[in-house]
Structure formats: C-alpha cells, structure tokens
C-alpha cells in the first residue's frame, strides 16, 4: 500500500479536492501523480457524506462546503515515476496493508472498512 508524507498532515493516502471543471476520476489521477508520482487504473469504492451542520468550527469562509462528499478509490499502480516532491508531499513509502494503522495517525474504523473493501475487489 502506498502512503505519502504530506507537508501539513503527515503520512496519508494520496488525495485532494476537485479543481473547477474537473471530474472525480480526473482529480484522482492528478492528485495521485502530484503527491505520489504514480499512475494506474482506478476503481470506485464508495463515498461518505461530510455534513458540517453541527460543526461549531465551520463558517462561510471554510474551504469546505457545509455538506460535501468524500470519495474513495482503489488505484492499482501500473507506473512508478521518479519522486520529485514538487507539490504537497515530501516522500512516499510502500507498506504492508496489515500495518497501515501503525503509520497513519488518523486511522479509524471507517478507514479500516474502506481498506477491507479495497482488498476484496476482484479484478
């Protein structure tokens, strides 16, 4: 499994936000290349609704919408490029998926279920 060391968050999965006019799949390909310098085929796993209605820290100046969606994909890496650290990540590493919780500081039960689903996809 691939993790990237993001400047503001530490070790995480590659990901990001849509740019104007960008499709979710286009965003995924761009973010995976920018953060991890890899490419491959993607498989949509599902999504979570992120609702900030009860979040007292959310306001109109927030970079996130009051209600949004967090999409999850599995990417099967087909090409690995030279890591150049030009964007949001300082490094990448490959880990055993059984040990991801040891490396990922925000790991929780939701992520565990998503990983479980990603590992069971028959391609």
């Amino acid at each position: 499994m691939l993790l990237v060391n993001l400047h503001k968050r530490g070790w995480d999965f590659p990901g990001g936000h849509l740019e104007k006019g960008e499709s979710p799949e286009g965003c995924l390909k761009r973010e995976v290349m920018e953060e991890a310098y890899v490419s491959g085929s993607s498989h949509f796993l599902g999504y979570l609704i992120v609702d900030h209605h009860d979040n007292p820290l959310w306001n109109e100046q927030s970079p996130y919408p009051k209600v949004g969606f967090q999409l999850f994909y599995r990417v099967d890496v087909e090409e690995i490029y030279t890591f150049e650290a030009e964007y949001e990540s300082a490094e990448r590493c490959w880990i055993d998926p059984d040990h991801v919780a040891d490396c990922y500081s925000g790991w929780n039960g939701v992520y565990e279920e998503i990983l479980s689903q990603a590992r069971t996809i028959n391609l």
Side-chain angles (χ1 to χ4, degrees):
M1 175 176 292
L2 176 64
L3 291 178
V4 292
N5 189 359
L6 298 170
H7 297 304
K8 295 182 180 177
R9 286 198 314 258
W11 291 102
D12 202 345
F13 300 107
H17 298 89
L18 292 171
E19 292 183 357
K20 186 172 179 146
E22 191 174 44
S23 70
E25 292 79 12
C27 175
L28 174 69
K29 288 181 184 202
R30 177 182 54 76
E31 291 285 359
V32 166
M33 179 57 83
E34 286 178 359
E35 295 179 1
Y37 294 87
V38 298
S39 63
S41 54
S42 62
H43 310 278
F44 180 67
L45 299 173
Y47 67 93
L48 295 175
I49 297 173
V50 181
D51 186 336
H52 291 282
H53 279 95
D54 295 327
N55 180 353
L57 301 176
W58 188 91
N59 61 52
E60 295 296 330
Q61 287 72 44
S62 174
Y64 305 109
K66 190 167 232 177
V67 177
F69 299 89
Q70 188 173 13
L71 302 155
F72 296 92
Y73 289 85
R74 169 181 158 167
V75 175
D76 294 316
V77 174
E78 296 162 356
E79 296 281 338
I80 302 171
Y81 305 97
T82 301
F83 187 84
E84 299 191 17
E86 292 179 299
Y87 299 98
E88 301 163 35
S89 57
E91 56 189 320
R92 69 178 174 204
C93 74
W94 301 90
I95 64 166
D96 180 329
D98 292 332
H99 300 288
V100 68
D102 300 333
C103 302
Y104 191 103
S105 64
W107 195 251
N108 61 55
V110 173
Y111 292 154
E112 187 67 39
E113 181 59 27
I114 293 164
L115 176 59
S116 174
Q117 292 301 313
R119 293 176 82 177
T120 60
I121 291 176
N122 255 342
L123 303 176

